[in-house]
Amino acid sequence: MADTGKAKAQNRKTRIFLSYSRKDIEFAQLLKVELEKADYQPSLDKTDIAPGEAWQDRLGKLIQEADAIVFSVSPHSAASSICAWEINEAARLGKRIIPVVADAVDPSLLPDALTKLNFIFFDNQSFEDAFGKLREALDTDLDWVRQHTRLGEQALDWLARNKAKSQLLFGRSLADAETWSAKRPDSASPPTALQLEYIAASRRALTTRQRLGLFAAIAVAFVSFGFFVWGEFNRREAVVQRDKAQKIADAALQASETFSFDVVTSLRITSGVPLVVTQSVLQAVREMQTSLMQSGANDNSQRVSRVPTDLQFAKILQLQGNIQEAVENANIAVKNATDLKLYFDTHSPLNENDDRLKNINLLNLSASFTTLGDIQKNSQEDYANALKSYQAAVDALELAAVKPGEEQQRQANVATALGDIADAQFHLAQTKDEFKNIPLATGQKALDVYRVLLSEGTMLDDCGYPMTGKLDTENKVDYRSSQSNALDLVGRTYNALEQFGEGEKYFCEAVKAATDVSLARPDDMSVRQMLSGTHKAYGNNLQKQGGEKQAAATKEISTFSEIAKDLSDRNPGNASLLSDYAFSVLFKVSYVDADPQSIAQQYKLYVELMLKLGRANQSNEVALGNLAEAFDIFRGQNLRVEDSDGADMKVFVREMGALVTAGEAATIDNVQKALAAIAPQ
């Protein structure tokens, strides 16, 4: 249901549920009286539950509606099964729990949910002093806690109504909920899984309603604006009028660059937005820029603004699986930015505007090499050239001027580039079996930068890694995201060196970092993909350790598989997500599934997914090589044509089987022959 009124929620009294043993009724009643005097709204089960009422349902409702749970600690409550149920229910709902000690008790006898909390002792100080501390605890971050209660009730209502769309959040209510989940105070309990699911479902529903109409309108508006500028410039021939048109053109160029970088990037990473929609919007930007370039207005501005558009095209084509075209667009961006760099380097001195454009172009050049390196590394497995591209990206970045106030962002950019270089070096060393030469120091250097940017202290968290400061700005969310990737890289490096115990703490922290970012950006597809990847890496590490780590490994691998499948199902046409899903199937069947029939089904699904990837772009040797390996796995499981499910699968398996029977190997060439037998869709 929509928000019933934020102001109303803030003005109501704070609702408190008093959990206690009936043998401590005098202390509980005294607390209730004093809380009422202090303008709180306490609930005490002795007076608030009617005779004959189902106690568990009623208590559950009171706990659900409460902003905080005050638990009276004593030997009697420690031995009470009802008190234990109340605390466990409060913990399940993510409620703020405040233990108040009425009588000393052995801490080992208390419910586990209380062991890590701060106690307020009424047994060894004056009631007034202790009650003052209780009020302080109740009032800390009160608005956040009240919203926790409200969203918890709404999420439970949504669940009770079979997740009806009519119960979802929208508009300001959704924006407030997303801000709330991203800005949890240190003293507050985290949002529950149900609350996060409720918020994410609301965002998906809103995106589905808005994206096609809104994106089409934006595209039309920008194209129309571009043609208007072009016509305006050519119509006004007088010098004075030409100057005015120049200003309009410059504004349009700036708008197109912002649109290409920000809006299209946002569409590309938003879950559920079809890539073809994003591509059509980007094409509208490209047409506008072409029109502006034809007008002849400020040639350098036009050329600089075109580079990020080509980069966005390269990224979208890569996601679609069109790797050859993606490389072409990335190389176009590199060439154009390189030509511009040469121009600015040879035309000196530069005016103020060209000096600004020169700096933007260096950042564009760095981004162009990074994008090219990503395609080479992730889609072509060409690690040597990827390493060269990443190094060129760093070189361009180091030439760019740093404006006052942008020093931290510069450090983050350099750290990210170092992580890219280290990752390429890692893969290159693996292909040559040169594990001793894996550059662990490069990844550690990147982590040192993030530690400073995130204001990490020296205290270790439960992963054995320095604790991270509060993610109170967008920059810190970005830093934490990049840190997760670097942690994953260092963990993989330790794995390759067979130092699994050392690697475990980095994978553990990588999962925590990715989870932090996912909470801050619940509908960001790229963040969810990063999160699934960290669960995969962590599960693989635990699996290699075996023994008592096996159960935890199974949990991590299953989580990876669930997220990968969800992302792929909601974003058809995204080759990167489809690849993750296919790999998750193979990963899960290798480490988790045990039932032979289930295993056979999973292997068939794996081949079917790899077939879909291979058909999407038959010029991608990596995809075709993976498909050849998938067929070998299929055959190795004694599966046959009749075991295939889809029509394309039957044709492919039959054609490949005939080649193998004739003594041929499952090579890329033979995969292409088998694919050719499948009629185009």
Side-chain angles (χ1 to χ4, degrees):
M1 185 67 69
D3 195 350
T4 57
K6 187 175 180 181
K8 181 179 178 181
Q10 290 176 332
N11 292 332
R12 68 168 173 79
K13 292 182 179 181
T14 302
R15 297 193 291 255
I16 300 166
F17 176 77
L18 293 169
S19 178
Y20 71 104
S21 165
R22 291 297 178 88
K23 296 178 182 179
D24 300 320
I25 183 63
E26 291 184 6
F27 177 72
Q29 286 180 323
L30 176 60
L31 273 183
K32 183 175 187 291
V33 169
E34 294 301 318
L35 286 168
E36 287 173 338
K37 288 181 181 178
D39 208 29
Y40 296 99
Q41 185 179 325
S43 298
L44 194 68
D45 67 340
K46 185 176 186 300
T47 56
D48 292 335
I49 294 184
E53 187 174 8
W55 69 268
Q56 200 170 65
D57 290 344
R58 175 59 175 158
L59 288 178
K61 183 67 173 174
L62 289 174
I63 293 170
Q64 175 187 324
E65 293 174 347
D67 298 309
I69 312 301
V70 174
F71 182 77
S72 174
V73 178
S74 74
H76 303 306
S77 62
S80 169
S81 60
I82 295 179
C83 287
W85 178 88
E86 290 172 346
I87 288 302
N88 289 332
E89 180 68 5
R92 184 184 72 83
L93 294 172
K95 296 293 181 179
R96 170 173 285 177
I97 302 173
I98 304 174
V100 296
V101 180
D103 197 1
V105 64
D106 183 352
S108 65
L109 301 177
L110 295 172
D112 291 341
L114 298 177
T115 56
K116 294 184 179 180
L117 301 177
N118 293 323
F119 286 54
I120 298 174
F121 295 90
F122 278 75
D123 62 332
N124 62 7
Q125 60 183 318
S126 70
F127 184 92
E128 290 76 14
D129 289 344
F131 189 76
K133 293 177 182 178
L134 174 59
R135 291 192 62 178
E136 182 179 353
L138 289 170
D139 292 342
T140 300
D141 302 311
L142 185 55
D143 288 343
W144 198 94
V145 171
R146 285 175 173 173
Q147 195 167 359
H148 187 292
T149 302
R150 183 166 55 85
L151 282 170
E153 292 177 325
Q154 291 175 315
L156 287 168
D157 188 38
W158 172 65
L159 182 64
R161 297 172 185 265
N162 296 317
K163 300 184 177 180
K165 291 183 178 180
S166 61
Q167 304 301 120
L168 293 173
L169 300 165
F170 60 89
R172 180 61 182 272
S173 300
L174 175 56
D176 287 344
E178 290 173 330
T179 301
W180 169 83
S181 69
K183 295 185 176 180
R184 175 174 69 91
D186 295 336
S187 65
S189 301
T192 65
L194 178 61
Q195 286 171 322
L196 293 176
E197 182 188 359
Y198 178 54
I199 294 170
S202 299
R203 171 55 61 188
R204 286 197 300 272
L206 181 63
T207 300
T208 299
R209 288 195 301 268
Q210 292 180 341
R211 63 178 182 247
L212 292 177
L214 177 61
F215 300 159
I218 291 174
V220 170
F222 268 87
V223 172
S224 299
F225 182 51
F227 280 109
F228 161 75
V229 173
W230 177 56
E232 182 74 1
F233 183 83
N234 285 285
R235 184 174 66 83
R236 301 184 179 185
E237 292 296 331
V239 174
V240 174
Q241 299 302 328
R242 186 179 297 273
D243 287 342
K244 291 182 179 179
Q246 177 73 66
K247 292 179 181 179
I248 298 172
D250 286 345
L253 287 165
Q254 186 176 0
S256 71
E257 185 174 344
T258 301
F259 188 72
S260 177
F261 255 117
D262 298 338
V263 179
V264 176
T265 299
S266 176
L267 302 190
R268 182 168 51 81
I269 65 177
T270 301
S271 186
V273 178
L275 288 174
V276 291
V277 173
T278 309
Q279 192 169 1
S280 66
V281 174
L282 189 56
Q283 183 60 39
V285 178
R286 179 177 272 182
E287 289 174 1
M288 180 187 68
Q289 290 172 329
T290 299
S291 299
L292 291 169
M293 292 175 73
Q294 290 173 348
S295 74
N298 199 336
D299 184 58
N300 288 336
S301 294
Q302 298 159 30
R303 294 168 65 194
V304 169
S305 69
R306 184 60 177 260
V307 173
T309 306
D310 292 327
L311 280 185
Q312 294 295 344
F313 258 109
K315 292 176 181 179
I316 291 174
L317 290 164
Q318 182 189 14
L319 292 175
Q320 291 173 329
N322 298 323
I323 305 306
Q324 186 172 342
E325 292 183 52
V327 171
E328 290 173 1
N329 277 268
N331 276 319
I332 288 172
V334 167
K335 182 181 184 305
N336 288 340
T338 301
D339 290 345
L340 278 165
K341 179 181 179 299
L342 179 62
Y343 171 85
F344 289 126
D345 288 345
T346 55
H347 287 70
S348 183
L350 299 174
N351 60 40
E352 183 179 349
N353 187 55
D354 278 349
D355 192 55
R356 177 185 67 86
L357 291 172
K358 176 183 178 180
N359 210 55
I360 293 174
N361 183 64
L362 286 170
L363 297 176
N364 286 348
L365 180 59
S366 178
S368 300
F369 276 117
T370 297
T371 299
L372 180 59
D374 288 344
I375 298 170
Q376 291 167 331
K377 181 188 71 176
N378 299 323
S379 300
Q380 295 182 312
E381 297 183 0
D382 184 359
Y383 306 121
N385 280 318
L387 183 57
K388 293 178 183 177
S389 296
Y390 288 141
Q391 187 57 61
V394 173
D395 294 343
L397 188 62
E398 290 178 344
L399 292 173
V402 183
K403 298 178 182 178
E406 294 182 354
E407 291 82 1
Q408 285 191 333
Q409 188 59 51
R410 168 64 172 270
Q411 293 178 52
N413 291 341
V414 171
T416 300
L418 287 173
D420 290 334
I421 289 174
D423 198 28
Q425 290 173 329
F426 172 84
H427 286 291
L428 194 58
Q430 280 196 314
T431 60
K432 298 179 179 179
D433 291 332
E434 296 176 352
F435 298 113
K436 292 183 179 179
N437 295 328
I438 290 177
L440 183 62
T442 308
Q444 291 282 13
K445 187 176 180 181
L447 287 178
D448 289 342
V449 176
Y450 297 127
R451 187 170 293 123
V452 173
L453 292 172
L454 289 164
S455 304
E456 290 179 339
T458 56
M459 186 188 309
L460 298 181
D461 64 11
D462 54 4
C463 295
Y465 192 81
M467 296 185 72
T468 300
K470 184 178 177 182
L471 298 183
D472 53 1
T473 66
E474 276 298 301
N475 277 347
K476 284 197 172 183
V477 175
D478 288 334
Y479 302 157
R480 188 71 163 140
S481 177
S482 298
Q483 184 192 43
S484 179
N485 289 325
L487 286 162
D488 180 85
L489 167 64
V490 174
R492 283 186 283 122
T493 304
Y494 277 116
N495 266 15
L497 296 171
E498 297 187 358
Q499 298 179 33
F500 302 117
E502 186 67 19
E504 180 182 346
K505 72 177 184 180
Y506 289 94
F507 287 125
C508 173
E509 185 62 27
V511 169
K512 288 185 62 180
T515 302
D516 286 347
V517 180
S518 184
L519 290 173
R521 296 172 179 166
D523 204 41
D524 187 324
M525 178 175 61
S526 63
V527 170
R528 292 282 292 167
Q529 187 176 17
M530 176 181 70
L531 179 61
S532 73
T534 57
H535 281 293
K536 175 187 74 174
Y538 193 16
N540 185 42
N541 172 273
L542 295 170
Q543 179 67 32
K544 289 181 181 297
Q545 295 184 63
E548 62 182 14
K549 306 283 186 179
Q550 183 59 48
T554 298
K555 179 181 178 182
E556 294 296 325
I557 292 167
S558 296
T559 302
F560 158 54
S561 182
E562 290 167 5
I563 298 175
K565 182 181 186 305
D566 176 65
L567 281 172
S568 183
D569 287 348
R570 290 197 282 120
N571 299 277
N574 190 315
S576 176
L577 298 178
L578 181 61
S579 178
D580 285 351
Y581 177 28
F583 188 83
S584 77
V585 170
L586 187 62
F587 210 63
K588 187 179 179 185
V589 79
S590 301
Y591 295 130
V592 178
D593 282 340
D595 177 62
Q597 186 174 358
S598 174
I599 289 175
Q601 280 297 123
Q602 292 299 306
Y603 276 124
K604 286 192 290 183
L605 174 59
Y606 173 67
V607 180
E608 185 177 350
L609 294 172
M610 295 311 301
L611 175 61
K612 187 175 180 180
L613 269 173
R615 290 200 66 188
N617 191 286
Q618 298 185 29
S619 64
N620 185 354
E621 292 190 358
V622 173
L624 295 179
N626 289 338
L627 180 53
E629 291 177 7
F631 174 76
D632 278 342
I633 292 174
F634 185 89
R635 190 163 53 95
Q637 296 298 312
N638 296 317
L639 297 170
R640 299 159 297 179
V641 173
E642 51 266 36
D643 296 313
S644 306
D645 293 329
D648 282 358
M649 268 277 285
K650 292 183 185 298
V651 174
F652 176 75
V653 172
R654 184 181 65 244
E655 293 296 323
M656 285 296 297
L659 290 167
V660 170
T661 301
E664 299 280 351
T667 61
I668 291 176
D669 287 344
N670 286 330
V671 165
Q672 288 178 318
K673 292 177 184 177
L675 288 175
I678 302 174
Q681 294 178 342

